[in-house]
Amino acid sequence: AWIEKATMLASVLMLIGMVGIMFLSTIFRYLLDSPWKWSEEALVFMLAWSIFILLGTVARRDEHVRIGFVMELLLGPEKARRVWTVIENVLGLGIGIFLSYAAYTWLDISRDMGSISWSAAGFSYPQWVTRIVPTIGLCLLAFFYLERNIRMIIHFFAARRSDKPSDFGDMA
């Protein structure tokens, strides 16, 4: 999907930007004796933003970290995978909706209050600017888990009509 490609591109561009800023900041600090005061803050924001932007894409591609060895021992690998898929999709959607709402509330409060942040370099900027990216990332997370839940339900009912056992693992 185009949104996955866009989030991956944004994250890669931020990673390239982070490497460039770190490299140039080191050159300016140690060779030119003129350190950049804003570089550390920019790196922290870029790292956090790239993580939040990729949350939804990782969930949609089913590439998140999973520890399921206990369930695999109890239920066997195939059944454990199906059970975990249902649990992940339902919990992921609930957590995604809750965190999206919390992030939007946090963004809205800082926007309404007109809160200003001051950077180490002396720049001022509205706090909502830094808080909009986590809000977007968490909304994408909720959206992609909603999509996974819809696919799971469709897959389940399609398998019931064809009298085949449902395999939730091949939904993406």
Side-chain angles (χ1 to χ4, degrees):
W2 67 270
I3 194 123
E4 280 184 54
K5 291 178 183 174
T7 57
M8 289 296 286
L9 177 64
S11 185
V12 167
L13 290 175
M14 279 192 261
L15 178 63
I16 292 169
M18 287 170 52
V19 169
I21 289 171
M22 287 184 345
F23 177 75
L24 291 174
S25 179
T26 303
I27 298 291
F28 273 75
R29 176 180 301 273
Y30 294 109
L31 295 180
L32 302 176
D33 200 28
S34 177
W36 290 349
K37 295 177 183 176
W38 55 269
S39 63
E40 184 178 342
E41 189 172 13
L43 293 172
V44 169
F45 282 131
M46 291 171 85
L47 177 63
W49 287 350
S50 65
I51 290 169
F52 277 108
I53 285 175
L54 285 178
L55 276 177
T57 300
V58 168
R60 185 168 196 269
R61 291 181 175 186
D62 199 25
E63 294 176 345
H64 47 77
V65 175
R66 177 181 298 121
I67 303 172
F69 64 89
V70 174
M71 289 284 272
E72 287 179 12
L73 288 175
L74 295 174
L75 302 174
E78 272 309 301
K79 192 169 185 180
R81 187 173 51 84
R82 290 193 301 259
V83 169
W84 271 123
T85 300
V86 172
I87 292 170
E88 288 169 6
N89 288 344
V90 172
L91 284 177
L93 178 61
I95 290 168
I97 290 170
F98 172 75
L99 290 176
S100 295
Y101 175 75
Y104 176 76
T105 303
W106 182 47
L107 171 71
D108 197 41
I109 288 170
S110 65
R111 187 181 50 86
D112 286 347
M113 290 177 55
S115 300
I116 302 293
S117 289
W118 289 91
S119 71
F123 301 122
S124 66
Y125 51 89
Q127 282 185 352
W128 67 265
V129 170
T130 59
R131 295 176 180 174
I132 198 164
V133 175
T135 305
I136 291 169
L138 290 167
C139 287
L140 285 172
L141 177 72
F143 175 76
F144 287 143
Y145 268 114
L146 176 63
E147 178 189 31
R148 284 185 60 165
N149 275 282
I150 291 169
R151 286 181 186 215
M152 180 179 67
I153 292 167
I154 290 170
H155 192 80
F156 175 75
F157 285 111
R160 288 196 74 179
R161 272 188 278 163
S162 68
D163 294 328
K164 287 192 266 181
S166 178
D167 181 20
F168 297 134
D170 299 330
M171 292 183 305

